[in-house]
Amino acid sequence: MADRRSSRGMVAFSVTFYITTALIMVFVNKWVLNSVDLPFSLLWFQVTFAVILLHISAAFGLFRLPTVQKDICIGLIPLVLINVLGLSFNTICLQYVDASFYQVARALVLPFTVLFSFIFLNQKSSLMVLLSCLIVCTGFFVGVSSERLTLSMLGVFFGVCSSVSTALHAIVIKKSLDVVKGNTMELVYYNNLLSAIAFAPIILLAGEQNDIFMLFSDSNPTSLSDSDSNSARTFFIGIFVTGFFGFLINIAGFLQIKVTSPVTHMVSSAFRGVVQTVLGAILFKEILTSGRVGGIFIILFGSCLYTWFKDRENRKLKALEISEKLEKGELNENEKIYLGRNNEKENV
């Protein structure tokens, strides 16, 4: 009984932790981007701060820093490329659309994930999974079409690009783990370190370095107007807050997936989407139109439906696999425990 309570406590903690860190990242990023037009500089500071925090963690014995190797860096180029593109598309999308519309703009992650899994991994999907993707696409078009006259289509474009890169990111991670022999934290370190290096020339190409120098010239306050001073303060507070929570969100996402079921993970993501929409309207005084709200709920319904169908399919496959092993007498202890838990659920 005590184990069950502690288990429930851990699930509640992980879900709350994930939702809180994700919401803070979105709203602080939006707050900074509303004040300064430095998306790539913001991202560079965030990934650099993550590297610094990993070094601090290593100093306290919480993490063992890997020795940077050339062959591993080369092997992780696809991951770093997708990561840099994904972070850039996410941030630029957020810069051009309302925080309450951000979920709609990036709604096509699920359909693209299913599509790319079929193309690159040859994973076929059931009719119900495809139906769920169709519902998500419908929600996207309902949300976008209802506001096409007032919405930034450039923001929607980058939202679609973000969906593509996020879907590819999930596939690339699987292959990238082989490069670091399955060590997740080592992959996180390499990914942040190499991404920080990659963002440096992008800042120069985007011409953000001049604006950064102007912000750092805050050492001479008399040369800045009140608005410039406020922008500098917003930027510096923002990079430290998002850098810290950007580091935490990696842990939060991993922890939630580890201690909860896929259904719980998706439901918590859906709840986060609703809270994000409402808070976006409150904090940034955004208008919630019927089309925007309707599109969000259709997307969330399709996403939850997908997770439910996918979870049932995976359970059936797992049960079939265990049944075959049971007949051959090849069950290990973990599989016996899994079988026992399923039997308990069926009897309840």
Side-chain angles (χ1 to χ4, degrees), residues 276-289:
Q276 182 175 304
T277 301
V278 174
L279 286 179
I282 295 173
L283 296 176
F284 299 106
K285 296 180 173 57
E286 299 169 356
I287 299 174
L288 291 180
T289 63

Side-chain angles (χ1 to χ4, degrees), residues 218-230:
D218 198 14
S219 57
N220 183 14
T222 57
S223 65
L224 290 177
S225 65
D226 289 340
S227 61
D228 290 332
S229 180
N230 288 334

Side-chain angles (χ1 to χ4, degrees), residues 192-212:
N192 282 283
L193 177 64
L194 297 177
S195 295
I197 295 172
F199 272 120
I202 295 177
I203 292 173
L204 297 177
L205 290 173
E208 294 184 5
Q209 66 275 13
N210 294 330
D211 293 327
I212 295 174

Side-chain angles (χ1 to χ4, degrees), residues 17-18 20-22 24-26 28-29 42-54 56-57 62 188 192 235-253:
F17 186 34
Y18 173 75
T20 303
T21 52
I24 289 174
M25 281 294 293
V26 169
V28 175
N29 274 335
L42 178 64
L43 290 170
W44 181 83
F45 276 106
Q46 287 175 2
V47 293
T48 302
F49 198 62
V51 174
I52 293 172
L53 287 175
L54 286 169
I56 294 174
S57 300
L62 302 175
V188 169
N192 282 283
F235 182 75
F236 292 128
I237 293 174
I239 60 175
F240 283 111
V241 173
T242 56
F244 178 69
F245 280 94
F247 172 74
L248 289 181
I249 201 170
N250 290 318
I251 302 173

Side-chain angles (χ1 to χ4, degrees), residues 136-295:
V136 171
C137 292
T138 301
F140 171 79
F141 287 113
V142 166
V144 171
S145 62
S146 66
E147 303 187 32
R148 62 185 181 278
L149 299 178
T150 58
L151 191 66
S152 168
M153 295 312 296
L154 186 61
V156 175
F157 170 75
F158 280 111
V160 174
C161 292
S162 171
S163 299
V164 172
S165 60
T166 302
L168 287 173
H169 191 259
I171 295 173
V172 173
I173 279 180
K174 293 181 180 179
K175 296 184 177 180
S176 299
L177 278 169
D178 294 334
V179 178
V180 293
K181 299 179 180 179
N183 191 320
T184 304
M185 289 304 296
E186 186 172 327
L187 185 64
V188 169
Y189 179 77
Y190 269 104
N191 191 27
N192 282 283
L193 177 64
L194 297 177
S195 295
I197 295 172
F199 272 120
I202 295 177
I203 292 173
L204 297 177
L205 290 173
E208 294 184 5
Q209 66 275 13
N210 294 330
D211 293 327
I212 295 174
F213 290 143
M214 288 181 64
L215 288 176
F216 275 100
S217 69
D218 198 14
S219 57
N220 183 14
T222 57
S223 65
L224 290 177
S225 65
D226 289 340
S227 61
D228 290 332
S229 180
N230 288 334
S231 296
R233 191 181 305 111
T234 299
F235 182 75
F236 292 128
I237 293 174
I239 60 175
F240 283 111
V241 173
T242 56
F244 178 69
F245 280 94
F247 172 74
L248 289 181
I249 201 170
N250 290 318
I251 302 173
F254 175 76
L255 179 63
Q256 177 167 267
I257 292 172
K258 182 179 180 180
V259 303
T260 68
S261 67
V263 174
T264 302
H265 181 68
M266 182 55 72
V267 169
S268 67
S269 296
F271 175 74
R272 186 199 74 194
V274 173
V275 174
Q276 182 175 304
T277 301
V278 174
L279 286 179
I282 295 173
L283 296 176
F284 299 106
K285 296 180 173 57
E286 299 169 356
I287 299 174
L288 291 180
T289 63
S290 58
R292 180 177 299 191
V293 174

